[in-house]
Amino acid sequence: MDVLRTATSALSAFDPETADNSREATLRKAVRLTSQVPMIVAAHSRLRAGEEPVAADQALGHAANLLWMLTARKPSADAAQLIDRDLILHAEHGSNASSFAARVVIGTEANLHAAIVAAIAALSGPAHGGAAEDVMKMAERIGDPSRAAGYVREKRKAGVAVTGFGHRVYRAEDPRARHMRAGVERLSEEMGEPKWFEILQAVVTAMAPYARHGVNVNVDFYSGVVYHLLGIKRDLFVPIFAIGRVPGWVVQVLEQLENNILLRPLTLYNGPDARAYVPLETR
């Protein structure tokens, strides 16, 4: 995420319309950024592994090209469709931390690249973007479906949240999750690793008693296993989240620009009462 943030910032020096915040120019920049961000992620992934970057294939769609540029292997139709669905589901989700960060920055009449860089910075924090990675770690820790119930009991007894459950917005199941479930099951079978889906479903079953308290599965519960099955490195999970979010962040920016105000929340002071100034040398 540090590389993605810095490289996206550098792109502003090369875009001929960086300073133009008109709707038309912003849309053109948005199209460029939507294609550039996955190229950055894929190229960096390969370079750090001592491999040559893979050029995009114009015969492939956006999601399929992401997998192609990462792995140098043409993805199956099912794999490409599942990643496409994942990117769509992550594209936009209200006033989350990264979307709000983008709005704050564009509200100052900064440029689109600055707003996207701020959004990437916000998403890099594990409290916002780290759930998919944590779910895969949990699945590996459980190791077998038969151990899921005991894992959940242990976590709940300790008062620790089970990763991939609960959402700040949804009290029922995250509606995005159902669109990933069947695809994960098919991909698990296709890749010869059905145990990961079986572990996830065992966790869902073990968590069922808590659903009435509003603790339900969310979209990140399935995303991490998708990325793992496709051979994507663990520290790329959040950058892939960012790839999906770029179009959503742009839409937030466009909406903010339509009726822009400087976002300046008020804060309430709760410190000590007024005090006399004491010169530094007498403190």
Side-chain angles (χ1 to χ4, degrees), residues 251-271:
V251 170
Q252 295 270 357
V253 164
L254 286 169
E255 188 174 80
Q256 184 68 31
L257 287 172
E258 283 177 3
N259 188 25
N260 194 28
I261 58 170
L262 182 67
L263 295 175
R264 210 281 191 194
L266 296 176
T267 55
L268 297 176
Y269 177 70
N270 63 355

Side-chain angles (χ1 to χ4, degrees), residues 79-147:
Q81 183 186 53
L82 194 56
I83 283 292
D84 190 40
R85 185 177 301 168
D86 179 79
L87 296 178
I88 291 169
L89 292 173
H90 279 103
E92 163 61 13
H93 202 250
S95 190
N96 53 75
S98 55
S99 294
F100 184 68
R103 280 183 176 264
V104 170
V105 171
I106 205 67
T108 69
E109 299 181 7
N111 59 62
L112 176 64
H113 287 78
I116 298 301
V117 167
I120 291 170
L123 184 62
S124 69
H128 184 12
E133 186 176 349
D134 290 341
V135 169
M136 195 60 222
K137 289 178 183 176
M138 175 183 71
E140 289 178 337
R141 202 170 293 126
I142 293 171
D144 187 271
S146 64
R147 298 177 56 192

Side-chain angles (χ1 to χ4, degrees), residues 193-227:
E193 297 187 61
K195 79 168 187 175
W196 299 117
F197 180 74
E198 292 166 3
I199 289 171
L200 293 186
Q201 289 308 102
V203 173
V204 171
T205 300
M207 286 292 293
Y210 305 101
R212 66 178 181 273
H213 301 299
V215 183
N216 290 278
V217 67
N218 60 46
V219 68
D220 297 308
F221 187 70
Y222 293 105
S223 295
V225 171
V226 171
Y227 305 155

Side-chain angles (χ1 to χ4, degrees), residues 45-89:
S45 176
R46 293 186 65 80
L47 286 169
R48 67 179 180 170
E51 300 169 328
E52 286 295 313
V54 175
D57 184 340
Q58 294 193 18
L60 297 176
H62 182 62
N65 247 318
L66 170 60
L67 296 177
W68 161 245
M69 291 187 295
L70 280 170
T71 65
R73 296 188 302 272
K74 295 293 174 69
S76 69
D78 279 349
Q81 183 186 53
L82 194 56
I83 283 292
D84 190 40
R85 185 177 301 168
D86 179 79
L87 296 178
I88 291 169
L89 292 173

Side-chain angles (χ1 to χ4, degrees), residues 1-2 41 44-45 48 133 137 232-240:
M1 288 298 282
D2 293 338
V41 173
H44 174 248
S45 176
R48 67 179 180 170
E133 186 176 349
K137 289 178 183 176
I232 296 170
K233 296 177 178 67
R234 189 73 52 84
D235 62 355
L236 296 185
F237 287 12
V238 181
I240 289 175

